[in-house]
Amino acid sequence: MNQPLPLAEILAMLEDPRTVPDLRRYYLSADGKEFTGGQFERLGGGGDRSETANEFTAGDLIAVQLLSVHIPPPRSLDLLQGQLGRDVAAQLTKIPVTVELGSDAASPLIADAGPADRAWRMLDHATGLGWVTAGKLLARKRPKLIPVYDGVVSCALGTGTGFWRWLHDILREDDCVLAQQLDARRREAGLPTAISRLRVLDVAVWMRHRNDHHDGGCLGLRLP
């Protein structure tokens, strides 16, 4: 595993002239078919809307599958009307939808044995899900706190386990300059505020690295 990219290199990537067009292409393409994940946050009004913020819905499961993961039918039923869904819901009730990663209030939520960590472990250990799908399910329910994270993003950033805490810390560096730059790129791309700054980072990194990524032999994101 490479060393994680330092803040300066992440900022340089965001400032690259390709970043805003990449965001527009992902989120604002004419028919939305090229990148179905552009509807992940917004489908059905979002997963964090007040009436369903603490439970999984069919819309949540469809939204997650727009990010190219498959949820087996037995797990779908378990999330919608079974014990797994109830157990995760009990943790979601402890996580306010307004808390953002990088804020003081986020630290106990993402800490080991905190409610977000407990929810993630429940999902990760469920047959047929795994760590990528677990993270995407929670990112749908708490988009300001939980980042979408997969092998391409992990490779690009040089990160592994403990990604939430690493990103939480780097969002706090230098007077929160990364958060400010993510908000700026969102505005420049003309994206709705429903797109969290965490998704701006995820999509910017994923779009930059997806074509160069090769599982097992990739050296990560290389900036010019």
Side-chain angles (χ1 to χ4, degrees):
M1 174 67 67
N2 298 327
Q3 290 296 313
L5 284 186
L7 176 60
E9 292 192 29
I10 297 172
L11 294 174
M13 184 274 297
L14 290 173
E15 293 165 359
D16 187 287
R18 292 171 288 181
T19 295
V20 168
D22 277 349
L23 291 169
R24 288 175 177 160
R25 183 182 170 200
Y26 187 89
Y27 280 109
L28 305 176
S29 58
D31 58 13
K33 293 179 181 179
E34 183 176 12
F35 298 105
T36 59
Q39 293 297 315
F40 171 70
E41 299 88 349
R42 296 173 285 177
L43 185 71
D48 59 343
R49 64 193 189 280
S50 59
E51 60 268 31
T52 59
N54 297 325
E55 62 184 38
F56 287 109
T57 69
D60 294 328
L61 303 191
I62 293 171
V64 167
Q65 293 183 85
L66 295 177
L67 296 179
S68 301
V69 296
H70 172 67
I71 299 177
R75 291 291 74 71
S76 294
L77 292 175
D78 202 6
L79 287 165
L80 293 175
Q81 58 190 32
Q83 190 62 49
L84 178 60
R86 290 190 289 272
D87 289 344
V88 175
Q91 300 305 314
L92 289 174
T93 61
K94 304 173 185 177
I95 307 173
V97 297
T98 56
V99 174
E100 299 194 62
L101 197 67
S103 68
D104 291 342
S107 296
L109 301 177
I110 64 169
D112 290 347
D117 178 66
R118 287 178 181 273
W120 181 85
R121 292 180 186 281
M122 291 172 185
L123 294 166
D124 178 42
H125 294 161
T127 303
L129 296 183
W131 67 273
V132 171
T133 303
K136 290 177 177 180
L137 282 164
L138 291 180
R140 167 73 179 177
K141 304 310 295 182
R142 296 295 184 271
K144 295 180 180 180
L145 180 71
I146 306 300
V148 171
Y149 186 53
D150 64 10
V152 175
V153 175
S154 172
C155 177
L157 295 176
T159 52
T161 57
F163 178 71
W164 294 356
R165 292 188 297 277
W166 172 83
L167 183 54
H168 174 73
D169 290 341
I170 208 166
L171 282 164
R172 296 166 68 87
E173 287 186 20
D174 292 354
D175 296 322
C176 304
V177 64
L178 176 56
Q180 296 167 32
Q181 289 300 311
L182 291 169
D183 290 345
R185 298 295 89 75
R186 179 173 55 194
R187 289 193 300 270
E188 291 169 18
L191 305 184
T193 56
I195 308 304
S196 72
R197 61 172 61 122
L198 299 182
R199 275 292 277 158
V200 173
L201 177 62
D202 158 56
V203 170
V205 171
W206 186 83
M207 289 288 284
R208 184 67 52 83
H209 192 54
R210 66 191 182 95
N211 290 329
D212 296 328
H213 177 71
H214 305 286
D215 289 336
C218 185
L219 298 177
L221 185 65
R222 289 294 177 266
L223 302 176

